[in-house]
Amino acid sequence: MLSVSQLTLNGEPALTGVERLPLIGWKIESTRRNVLQQSWQLQCSTRADFSALVFDSGVVNSEESNNIELSEFLLQPSTRYFLRVRITDNHGESSGWSPEAPFVTGVMNCAWKGEFISAETPQDKANSKGTLLRKAFSVAAEKKVASAFVHATALGIYQLFLNGERVGTDELTPGWTSYQHHLLYQTYDVTALLNSGDNVVGAELGAGWFKGDMGFSRHRNYYGEQTALLCQLVIQYEDGSEQCVVSDLSWRSSDSARQFAEIYDGERYDATLAQPGWQRSGFNDSDWRHVSQIHWDKKTLVAQGAGTVKQIERLPVAALIVTPQGDKVLDFGQNMSGWVEFRVRGKPGDKVVLRHFEALDASGNVYLDNLRSAKQLVEYTLKGEGEEVWHPRFSWQGFRYVKVERFPGELNPNHFTAIVIHSAMEATGQFACSNPDLNQLHHNILWGLKGNFVDVPTDCPQRDERLGWTGDAQIFCRTASYLMQTRTFFAKWLTDLKHDQTPEGGVPHVIPDILTGHCDHDKFLAEGGTHSATGWADAAVINPWTMYLMYGDKRILQNQYVSMKGWVDFMRAHADNDIWRYKLQFGDWVALDAQEGSYFGATPEDLLCTAYYALSTSLLAKTAKVLGNEEDHQYYSALQTIIVERFQERFFTAKGDLTAQTQTAHIVALCFDLTPVAFRQRTADRLVALLHEHDGHLVTGFLGTPYFCHALSQNGKAKEAWALLLKDDFPSWLYQVKAGATTVWEHWDGIKPDGSMWSPDMNSFNHYAYGAVGEWLYRTVAGIEADESAPGFKHAIISPLPGGRLNWVDASYESMYGEIAVKWQAIEGKVVLSFRIPANTTATVKLQAVKEMGQSEGLEFSHSELGWSATAGSGEYRIDYLPDDSVDLTYSD
Ligand code: BGC
């Protein structure tokens, strides 16, 4: 049986708000092995039953089933389209039509008829209050509505309502982008919300990133001084006529009951000031204010088809704690980003006051110091009528615990629920094994992603930062992309990176860049500048390349090419004889080999800078090749060769020792292919010796840690890699797990073995950076690896690494083609390996440390000095082999 189980658009199941035809892909299911597609046929229609075709590809003979670019056909604005596909395969089977994938077009060709309108005045510059805007309109009663779509965005954060109903389920829209260049708008189907006759469209606005108080130096009004709404509601009638309701000066406005809302500080909402019915018709708005028009370049507007922040899941209270100091604290048992929803009864004017925080101190008391200036405070004043249910909407909190500072009546934990919010992404990674600590580490890595992929990849979600630090996003990108489908998320953020680059190609430390020009009070940034730190700025090259590896998406490479090249050229321009270094460097940030109290690890800056210069240049050279730019490919390949030579001359002694005897220096030299072949073994041995100097512990920071296990396992030190991963005393990944962490910490010594904490200056308990070891679990332990010559897992490499005294590992990755699953088990002295390869893909299975091959039905293994290997077509396989003595496993009967 052959079928197409899912059609995707830019990797998403549906897109709402499209201005350019998306890249199309599909997943194929078959009960057979070795299935390859032979042809496809795609159709596009404006009706779900495909009775109104606007495109038919005809039968196209091709094996391609992802990243298909259709020859452009004319799209109409504000219109829903449906796509479907059917295929044939190499066994002569034909599928039926796939389930259809819908998409809705946006405001094409920037045909905006409305204006940005504001309920605020320039005097509100320092205000963080909520405002309301509304407009009554009527829908011709005698005509039938065929469809109604609304396109909207805001300067600030907005929520839209139609006839009292919330429009869509997105949160914190329009998110955070480099607004002055790139402002996203959202599109919603509101056909079902329209009334025949009287209607009201309304919106609430808040300050958000646009004009709120942001950054650790606490500035506001980065992008403007007044919030504003842009809205275009397009109603199409069945008779072919169209009606447009747009934001203009006829709208009315008022202040909302939300007296204050700020991303770091929380919200203050007075329900006694709420104006019931304001989003419905019949409400008297005669005392509401006029609105004013705000000028904003509409060329910055771009449709956001998917990837908005949403309410993802709900968690109950795990425990109600009374601290030694007598505070009442709700423990949700999980560090997260989101809101607390509560149910409450009381008198008018009674208050609920909640303070959100991450950790209890060594005595079990509320610990707020690491939040720095972020208040994370929510205050709700009761209306006093029956049960009231409320949660914030224009801010979010990073927390596990909530101190209940005020609450009328008895405190019942069942009346509180945590709502987890983050950017909506498909979960793609599963990992489980026989070691519960490792499972908890995987959980913590995943929750580090959930807590920090809130519209932009943030460093942490709780203190007065929550910024798109490029280094953090760079080192975690590959791990994140195993866990969830990050294609839309990073495509958006990389667009902002491109916009915010300096004219010379320098890359700001945070994207969107709000540090430049606002760091006078920060010693390091004021002196050292706000852009172009190695390992941070390289996100410009590494992240697009990672998207290509994981999703095979060339469009991201095309969109980012100038930006990628700009960054490499920046390094070249500032290199001295190809040894690169520039102003402020974070280096091997927060490594434990830093001097006491310092954040800067011991690995020399010029070594790290030149190492990353070589890496980014090699990825740029490969990108040029992929995009067919042979001239650039030759140029940057040659440049990379020179950088590597210079690195070797400068940082290796004639004997083959690295001049810097740090773990991180050895890791990057091995992983970035900077080590002369003759010195590889010596470098790997030395890395192991450096580990032993610390009793088997790492002392690496941001730049060394992500590659540590790879540096070992790729150089004949698999046992040492496993041992490092499984260390559970300080400092180690599992030390945090043993200490009860539910996310990954910023510092190895966030909480020290004696219970004391690292300086509150910078001590986040939800920082995903060190969670970058997650990719080693997927790529190496489970052995689900991409092949850059057939990206997006069109061809996978299956090469698991049994060990670590485990009994079993069961992992999977939902690729663009379907699920790749790998399970290994240690049974009766053998490794039993089962795996699944999706239809229309192939894999090379590579096995190492094999003493004797056993059963391998359906596969033909051959042996070389690199181990055993076989080529597998799609399907499920089960093989077994006798491992050699280097493989440390716990066997079951
Ligand atoms: C952030 C880091 C970031 C660093 C840059 C910190 O404040 O939290 O994760 O990469 O600054 O040095």
Side-chain angles (χ1 to χ4, degrees):
M1 244 299 266
L2 182 73
S3 62
V4 177
S5 59
Q6 196 193 11
L7 194 61
T8 58
L9 312 168
N10 292 341
E12 305 285 342
L15 293 174
T16 313
V18 161
E19 285 161 348
R20 177 183 179 189
L21 270 172
L23 295 176
I24 298 163
W26 51 87
K27 290 178 184 169
I28 301 170
E29 301 278 348
S30 171
T31 40
R32 295 178 196 258
R33 270 187 187 164
N34 301 315
V35 170
L36 291 173
Q37 175 186 282
Q38 289 222 308
S39 72
W40 54 263
Q41 180 182 10
L42 259 167
Q43 289 186 337
C44 184
S45 167
T46 49
R47 286 182 200 267
D49 63 3
F50 287 80
S51 60
L53 283 191
V54 292
F55 175 81
D56 189 335
S57 67
V59 174
V60 178
N61 290 320
S62 162
E63 200 181 297
E64 269 182 304
S65 60
N66 261 304
N67 294 304
I68 292 176
E69 205 152 4
L70 292 185
S71 54
E72 298 281 329
F73 54 88
L74 206 59
L75 295 174
Q76 298 299 323
S78 307
T79 303
R80 183 183 298 280
Y81 292 90
F82 300 88
L83 278 164
R84 66 179 181 181
V85 70
R86 63 181 174 190
I87 61 158
T88 63
D89 73 8
N90 54 337
H91 298 279
E93 277 204 77
S94 304
S95 75
W97 287 109
S98 67
E100 73 273 0
F103 70 92
V104 176
T105 49
V107 180
M108 314 280 293
N109 309 318
C110 203
W112 289 91
K113 300 192 177 95
E115 297 299 339
F116 281 89
I117 54 168
S118 179
E120 294 189 320
T121 70
Q123 284 70 49
D124 289 312
K125 181 177 171 188
N127 233 321
S128 306
K129 64 183 180 184
T131 57
L132 306 176
L133 298 103
R134 78 187 293 275
K135 164 83 184 172
F137 64 96
S138 59
V139 165
E142 67 286 2
K143 298 206 269 186
K144 223 173 157 231
V145 173
S147 70
F149 294 100
V150 64
H151 313 283
T153 187
L155 308 178
I157 292 175
Y158 78 96
Q159 295 213 327
L160 204 64
F161 301 88
L162 190 57
N163 298 321
E165 299 295 328
R166 175 85 196 282
V167 172
T169 54
D170 297 338
E171 307 294 348
L172 304 174
T173 44
W176 192 11
T177 50
S178 178
Y179 297 127
Q180 68 277 32
H181 305 109
H182 176 220
L183 173 59
L184 296 174
Y185 68 87
Q186 290 71 43
T187 294
Y188 301 101
D189 184 345
V190 290
T191 319
L193 299 182
L194 270 192
N195 293 334
S196 165
D198 294 340
N199 288 267
V200 167
V201 56
E204 181 171 2
L205 301 192
W209 299 275
F210 182 83
K211 66 167 270 198
D213 192 352
M214 293 294 302
F216 40 82
S217 49
R218 302 299 290 246
H219 282 267
R220 55 182 307 127
N221 305 114
Y222 284 97
Y223 303 95
E225 299 180 350
Q226 289 169 254
T227 56
L229 173 78
L230 176 69
C231 169
Q232 183 149 319
L233 169 58
V234 182
I235 305 165
Q236 270 145 4
Y237 291 99
E238 285 200 341
D239 66 6
S241 60
E242 189 177 283
Q243 179 184 355
C244 246
V245 180
V246 301
S247 46
D248 61 20
L249 293 175
S250 69
W251 287 50
R252 312 283 290 177
S253 71
S254 169
D255 288 342
S256 90
R258 205 173 313 267
Q259 298 177 296
F260 177 89
E262 277 282 0
I263 285 169
Y264 298 155
D265 291 336
E267 292 187 32
R268 208 165 60 236
Y269 187 93
D270 185 346
T272 64
L273 302 176
Q275 304 181 61
W278 71 272
Q279 321 101 314
R280 293 179 194 279
S281 63
F283 177 82
N284 180 358
D285 64 11
S286 57
D287 61 347
W288 280 35
R289 305 189 294 270
H290 291 291
V291 296
S292 58
Q293 187 180 328
I294 302 290
H295 294 281
W296 188 268
D297 182 0
K298 298 206 186 89
K299 290 201 206 68
T300 59
L301 292 163
V302 176
Q304 181 177 31
T308 46
V309 174
K310 290 192 188 284
Q311 299 183 29
I312 305 288
E313 58 198 290
R314 293 180 153 246
L315 300 179
V317 172
L320 170 62
I321 303 170
V322 180
T323 68
Q325 288 177 345
D327 289 321
K328 286 187 183 148
V329 168
L330 304 170
D331 175 4
F332 286 94
Q334 177 60 55
N335 203 336
M336 70 187 107
S337 280
W339 305 315
V340 172
E341 181 183 87
F342 53 83
R343 291 188 278 139
V344 63
R345 284 174 189 274
K347 299 191 296 301
D350 278 352
K351 285 189 195 304
V352 177
V353 179
L354 305 178
R355 192 177 293 271
H356 304 67
F357 64 102
E358 280 192 297
L360 299 168
D361 68 14
S363 328
N365 286 314
V366 173
Y367 183 71
L368 300 177
D369 295 356
N370 70 332
L371 304 176
R372 302 197 305 217
S373 69
K375 293 198 181 69
Q376 296 225 105
L377 190 70
V378 164
E379 182 184 302
Y380 176 83
T381 305
L382 274 73
K383 194 172 185 63
E385 288 170 7
E387 185 176 72
E388 298 173 46
V389 182
W390 192 85
H391 64 76
R393 288 191 177 276
F394 287 78
S395 65
W396 82 91
Q397 289 71 49
F399 67 101
R400 167 176 168 170
Y401 300 98
V402 173
K403 177 181 163 199
V404 183
E405 298 191 353
R406 284 174 77 170
F407 195 81
E410 203 192 324
L411 191 62
N412 181 345
N414 297 329
H415 292 170
F416 296 82
T417 309
I419 304 176
V420 178
I421 65 161
H422 59 80
S423 295
M425 293 169 289
E426 180 196 354
T428 48
Q430 303 280 347
F431 181 93
C433 69
S434 53
N435 180 328
D437 291 339
L438 220 45
N439 292 338
Q440 182 67 36
L441 175 65
H442 180 266
H443 168 102
N444 295 0
I445 296 169
L446 177 63
W447 277 85
L449 182 157
K450 292 183 185 195
N452 284 296
F453 277 43
V454 180
D455 208 66
V456 301
T458 62
D459 53 339
C460 54
Q462 72 300 86
R463 68 179 179 226
D464 51 5
E465 232 166 317
R466 314 183 191 190
L467 303 176
W469 282 97
T470 46
D472 308 45
Q474 182 271 112
I475 61 185
F476 191 62
C477 180
R478 188 88 166 253
T479 297
S481 307
Y482 273 97
L483 295 170
M484 293 206 187
Q485 219 251 73
T486 62
R487 181 174 172 174
T488 303
F489 180 82
F490 276 120
K492 163 187 175 287
W493 183 73
L494 287 167
T495 304
D496 297 309
L497 183 148
K498 172 173 72 180
H499 285 307
D500 283 352
Q501 250 170 308
T502 69
E504 209 193 345
V507 180
H509 301 326
V510 303
I511 300 293
D513 178 22
I514 57 163
L515 296 183
T516 303
H518 296 99
C519 282
D520 302 353
H521 302 298
D522 186 282
K523 183 167 124 350
F524 292 126
L525 297 172
E527 284 168 15
T530 52
H531 66 88
S532 302
T534 200
W536 271 249
D538 296 278
V541 176
I542 295 171
N543 290 40
W545 179 255
T546 305
M547 295 299 103
Y548 175 68
L549 272 185
M550 298 300 283
Y551 309 118
D553 180 353
K554 283 191 201 168
R555 240 188 217 180
I556 294 188
L557 294 183
Q558 279 155 1
N559 291 344
Q560 297 301 129
Y561 191 67
V562 170
S563 155
M564 297 167 85
K565 199 168 152 174
W567 169 237
V568 171
D569 289 347
F570 180 95
M571 290 190 277
R572 195 184 40 126
H574 292 274
D576 179 7
N577 200 9
D578 293 302
I579 298 297
W580 180 69
R581 216 205 135 270
Y582 188 75
K583 297 185 182 174
L584 174 65
Q585 294 298 320
F586 302 118
D588 197 20
W589 186 246
V590 296
L592 285 173
D593 56 12
Q595 288 184 356
E596 188 57 32
S598 164
Y599 297 122
F600 300 92
T603 306
E605 284 175 5
D606 52 358
L607 185 151
L608 283 172
C609 287
T610 308
Y612 264 97
Y613 180 25
L615 176 66
S616 281
T617 305
S618 83
L619 298 183
L620 177 64
K622 288 182 192 181
T623 303
K625 179 104 189 150
V626 168
L627 298 181
N629 188 335
E630 194 50 36
E631 200 181 316
D632 278 5
H633 172 65
Q634 296 292 342
Y635 177 83
Y636 290 104
S637 303
L639 176 60
Q640 192 249 356
T641 307
I642 294 169
I643 302 167
V644 174
E645 280 169 17
R646 292 286 297 122
F647 183 97
Q648 296 179 346
E649 282 162 30
R650 177 73 169 260
F651 302 112
F652 275 97
T653 66
K655 258 172 57 198
D657 292 324
L658 271 159
T659 51
Q661 285 299 304
T662 63
Q663 294 175 350
T664 291
H666 289 72
I667 293 166
V668 295
L670 288 167
C671 286
F672 297 0
D673 269 336
L674 303 170
T675 307
V677 180
F679 300 157
R680 247 195 126 80
Q681 188 59 46
R682 186 184 179 91
T683 308
D685 291 345
R686 187 67 202 132
L687 177 58
V688 172
L690 287 166
L691 253 179
H692 289 322
E693 279 179 19
H694 296 275
D695 190 26
H697 294 104
L698 44 62
V699 290
T700 49
F702 271 35
L703 298 190
T705 304
Y707 299 101
F708 210 147
C709 289
H710 290 298
L712 293 168
S713 62
Q714 289 169 1
N715 291 285
K717 310 283 182 194
K719 231 178 175 155
E720 288 81 354
W722 268 112
L724 176 66
L725 179 72
L726 295 175
K727 272 261 167 220
D728 61 6
D729 57 343
F730 174 79
S732 63
W733 286 285
L734 298 188
Y735 164 75
Q736 303 181 6
V737 166
K738 295 278 188 201
T742 61
T743 41
V744 177
W745 299 349
E746 178 173 23
H747 293 267
W748 297 117
D749 47 0
I751 300 176
K752 301 181 190 191
D754 67 3
S756 65
M757 296 205 192
W758 170 269
S759 148
D761 240 19
M762 237 185 33
N763 196 13
S764 148
F765 294 105
N766 193 359
H767 234 72
Y768 52 57
Y770 287 152
V773 70
E775 66 170 83
W776 196 71
L777 298 179
Y778 284 93
R779 292 174 62 191
T780 307
V781 171
I784 303 174
E785 178 66 302
D787 173 357
E788 66 182 47
S789 65
F793 295 88
K794 174 79 173 107
H795 178 261
I797 294 161
I798 303 296
S799 183
L801 187 71
R805 297 218 175 126
L806 265 61
N807 177 242
W808 59 271
V809 163
D810 190 353
S812 66
Y813 169 68
E814 184 68 33
S815 77
M816 307 296 298
Y817 294 88
E819 187 190 64
I820 304 172
V822 173
K823 179 173 184 181
W824 53 257
Q825 283 167 282
I827 306 174
E828 292 176 349
K830 284 187 190 162
V831 174
V832 178
L833 175 67
S834 351
F835 58 91
R836 177 177 196 269
I837 308 296
N840 205 30
T841 72
T842 53
T844 302
V845 187
K846 294 185 180 174
L847 304 174
Q848 281 170 15
V850 178
K851 195 189 244 168
E852 199 185 310
M853 282 303 296
Q855 253 190 63
S856 58
E857 185 269 316
L859 295 173
E860 260 180 49
F861 275 92
S862 61
H863 186 252
S864 77
E865 57 182 18
L866 297 172
W868 291 85
S869 72
T871 306
S874 65
E876 290 182 18
Y877 301 87
R878 187 181 156 101
I879 65 176
D880 61 49
Y881 64 91
L882 217 58
D884 69 22
D885 298 340
S886 69
V887 182
D888 196 4
L889 291 166
T890 303
Y891 292 94
S892 52
D893 304 333

